[in-house]
Amino acid sequence: MTPRNKRNKRNKCNKSRKNLKIHVPNQHAPNPKPANENENENERIRIHKLPGYGKELPSKTYVSYMHLPNTDKHLHYWFIESEHDPKNAPVFFWTNGGPGCSSMLGLFEEIGPFVPNSKLNLERNDLAWTKFANIVFVDQPVGVGHSYSKHHKDYYSNDVLSAQDNLAFMIEFFKVFPEFKPNKLYLTGESYAGHYIPMMMDRLIAYNKTHNHEINFRGVIIMNPLMTYHSGDPSEMETYWGHQRIFIDTWNKYKKHGCERASNSNRYCKQMLNEMHDREKNMNPYAIDYPICAANNLQQTQLSKYTRKYNKFVRNKVNMACIHKYTDNYLNSDAVREQITKPHSNRKWYGCTDYEFYRLKDRDNDMVPHIKRHLMDKDLKHLEILIMSGTNDSICGTIGTQKWISRLNLKTKAHAGEWKPYLMDKMLKGHVTTFQGDG
């Protein structure tokens, strides 16, 4: 979980963001290389050290731009090889949500090998997914992070166009790194990735059927996904109610007017939502029972000590409540900009841009039929889908996840258990249910 407040939501569902600034690179900046780079060219984009990390990097790390063929679009990405057996480890294609949020949030705040601290140094993330997977963190669509185009029209996007560009990126990626093409590929992400990934699945599966299953696609992993209208504001409100953050009279009015239904998203319902959001503005909606990033450093230190004392699974080095502040300061530091982004972009990095050119009405599209169709496809015998949903995250809340999964009408897998307790050191940390697809 990462610290945010309602007025500056970053990488989930619908949120306010910084203004989008279209960047045309300096004409003296080197153009990204074509995708048929050989091993020597890969060395050119490999980084061997990072500012604030005085040790050898845990695994091979590459930073570059991918030029999408027949366009002027350039998508910024980091590719970090697995720390263990990269030749056989799966490849994860990771995207954050928004739409409009940078995958650098996932890299530096969630699943990457490092987390920044208040001194602009990097510390090891003991929970990094790069311990067992090769991960490609890509900023998409154009306009997110440092991804850019020379043409204004390329900054307009929607679910269909982003899926098209993401498939083009993956095809080009395996030209740059052909040695990883045989590895199992998983599409991974969070939040609005609940739209990105099902649409990407459609494109990738269709591509494979006409290209002799060229890409070894095996499945998807999505965390707190926005899959339906109900996955957004309605499930957020239900989560607040479940945690008793809403007065019962307010909740009853919300229900009475049917505000949980998209068809009733009227002015009255929107006003109620805004009022409830305002009442909860001093809470982190992504981790509602965790500390927020306090203005007073002493206060924040005490909050963090309290959290670590009573939850030993919380990382004990970096103040996670203020992790976004540290990420922002780190990625915009002179040392990082000089090494990582300055050759192509002088633009300030934002966790989320005010991506007003994305067709936001797409967020109400129902993604469940896409998942259902592929689960029913008997040609996809090895398809695996993992959905993770944290109950402390009100944005794209767990109640919404349970509701859309129930619509799939899947049978639980024999002997796997239904709502099976998930334990760590004999402590209950969640529940797991395994379903059997029809394919």
Side-chain angles (χ1 to χ4, degrees):
M1 299 297 177
T2 50
R4 298 139 210 174
N5 57 57
K6 196 66 191 181
R7 300 189 185 278
N8 188 28
K9 290 184 178 181
R10 303 181 299 104
N11 66 335
K12 300 248 181 124
C13 301
N14 60 326
K15 49 194 80 65
S16 59
R17 297 172 282 277
K18 298 292 185 180
N19 289 330
L20 173 67
K21 297 179 181 178
I22 296 178
H23 166 69
V24 178
N26 187 302
Q27 61 180 347
H28 298 295
N31 292 321
K33 295 290 184 180
N36 59 348
E37 297 177 354
N38 56 26
E39 187 174 340
N40 291 333
E41 288 298 320
N42 285 350
E43 270 302 309
R44 180 186 62 82
I45 64 174
R46 181 182 172 187
I47 58 174
H48 296 268
K49 60 181 181 179
L50 278 171
Y53 192 74
K55 305 175 184 177
E56 181 180 356
L57 299 185
S59 61
K60 290 183 179 180
T61 300
Y62 306 87
V63 182
S64 190
Y65 288 79
M66 192 70 72
H67 174 220
L68 303 188
N70 304 314
T71 75
D72 281 310
K73 298 178 180 180
H74 303 85
L75 299 187
H76 183 240
Y77 73 96
W78 288 51
F79 174 45
I80 303 179
E81 292 188 11
S82 173
E83 296 174 34
H84 303 288
D85 195 15
K87 290 184 179 180
N88 296 299
V91 174
F92 285 5
F93 173 94
W94 173 272
T95 179
N96 274 73
C101 294
S102 170
S103 290
M104 299 305 100
L105 298 172
L107 195 167
F108 287 101
E109 300 183 13
E110 297 173 305
I111 65 171
F114 317 103
V115 286
N117 61 28
S118 60
K119 298 180 180 180
L120 300 188
N121 292 322
L122 296 178
E123 298 184 12
R124 286 286 274 134
N125 176 9
D126 294 333
L127 305 178
W129 289 14
T130 48
K131 290 179 179 291
F132 57 84
N134 304 291
I135 307 184
V136 187
F137 298 89
V138 59
D139 279 342
Q140 61 81 37
V142 165
V144 174
H146 289 287
S147 295
Y148 69 90
S149 172
K150 297 178 181 179
H151 300 295
H152 186 274
K153 66 180 178 62
D154 289 338
Y155 289 78
Y156 288 84
S157 192
N158 54 55
D159 287 353
V160 173
L161 288 176
S162 66
Q164 175 181 305
D165 287 348
N166 284 325
L167 175 60
F169 177 93
M170 283 185 278
I171 293 171
E172 295 306 303
F173 173 82
F174 286 120
K175 292 178 182 178
V176 178
F177 297 95
E179 65 273 25
F180 290 95
K181 197 170 186 179
N183 299 42
K184 295 178 180 179
L185 172 70
Y186 292 85
L187 306 180
T188 62
E190 65 182 15
S191 168
Y192 203 80
H195 276 236
Y196 290 146
I197 288 178
M199 299 295 288
M200 291 161 62
M201 284 178 66
D202 290 351
R203 289 273 181 169
L204 179 53
I205 290 170
Y207 175 85
N208 266 347
K209 288 184 176 181
T210 58
H211 290 77
N212 196 29
H213 298 280
E214 177 182 310
I215 297 175
N216 190 12
F217 174 59
R218 289 305 183 96
V220 305
I221 303 172
I222 323 178
M223 300 188 291
N224 284 78
L226 178 70
M227 299 289 293
T228 67
Y229 171 80
H230 189 271
S231 299
D233 290 334
S235 66
E236 180 179 7
M237 294 303 106
E238 288 193 56
T239 302
Y240 285 165
W241 170 245
H243 283 257
Q244 293 301 287
R245 302 298 181 100
I246 296 175
F247 183 48
I248 189 170
D249 286 357
T250 303
W251 175 247
N252 287 339
K253 289 179 183 178
Y254 179 81
K255 295 287 286 185
K256 179 180 178 179
H257 286 83
C259 295
E260 73 276 12
R261 297 190 296 272
S263 59
N264 285 346
S265 183
N266 52 41
R267 180 178 297 179
Y268 177 82
C269 291
K270 290 178 180 178
Q271 181 179 344
M272 287 194 68
L273 288 172
N274 290 334
E275 288 176 357
M276 286 190 276
H277 288 159
D278 286 341
R279 291 193 186 106
E280 302 300 318
K281 62 185 177 181
N282 292 321
M283 176 193 71
N284 179 358
Y286 298 85
I288 57 181
D289 291 331
Y290 283 71
I292 61 172
C293 188
N296 185 306
N297 288 333
L298 179 60
Q299 178 187 0
Q300 187 59 58
T301 300
Q302 295 303 317
L303 285 170
S304 298
K305 285 182 178 179
Y306 178 85
T307 303
R308 291 195 294 268
K309 179 179 179 181
Y310 291 102
N311 187 348
K312 66 179 180 179
F313 298 104
V314 174
R315 298 169 195 164
N316 58 8
K317 292 183 179 180
V318 176
N319 176 359
M320 296 305 294
C322 293
I323 186 65
H324 178 57
K325 176 181 177 182
Y326 304 156
T327 301
D328 188 281
N329 291 341
Y330 180 78
L331 290 178
N332 285 303
S333 66
D334 291 340
V336 173
R337 289 165 62 86
E338 184 71 30
Q339 179 180 346
I340 303 301
T341 61
K342 196 170 183 180
H344 295 284
S345 174
N346 291 317
R347 185 174 64 187
K348 175 180 170 62
W349 178 85
Y350 292 111
C352 293
T353 58
D354 188 5
Y355 206 65
E356 60 190 67
F357 303 133
Y358 201 93
R359 191 169 63 195
L360 291 181
K361 69 177 183 179
D362 284 8
R363 70 183 296 273
D364 293 338
N365 293 341
D366 190 351
M367 294 291 109
V368 177
H370 297 260
I371 300 293
K372 180 70 172 180
R373 181 171 65 253
H374 297 311
L375 286 173
M376 297 289 288
D377 190 340
K378 296 187 182 299
D379 291 333
L380 299 175
K381 297 179 180 179
H382 303 291
L383 181 64
E384 300 172 299
I385 297 178
L386 174 62
I387 305 297
M388 294 183 283
S389 200
T391 57
N392 254 276
D393 191 344
S394 67
I395 310 299
C396 306
T398 302
I399 182 64
T401 299
Q402 289 214 63
K403 287 184 176 182
W404 73 256
I405 288 178
S406 70
R407 289 175 49 203
L408 296 172
N409 296 317
L410 299 173
K411 296 179 180 178
T412 55
K413 194 170 184 179
H415 309 299
E418 180 178 320
W419 210 242
K420 185 177 180 180
Y422 179 76
L423 306 177
M424 292 181 67
D425 289 354
K426 299 182 180 181
M427 295 177 62
L428 180 65
K429 292 298 173 181
H431 296 84
V432 178
T433 299
T434 304
F435 298 95
Q436 178 67 53
D438 295 328

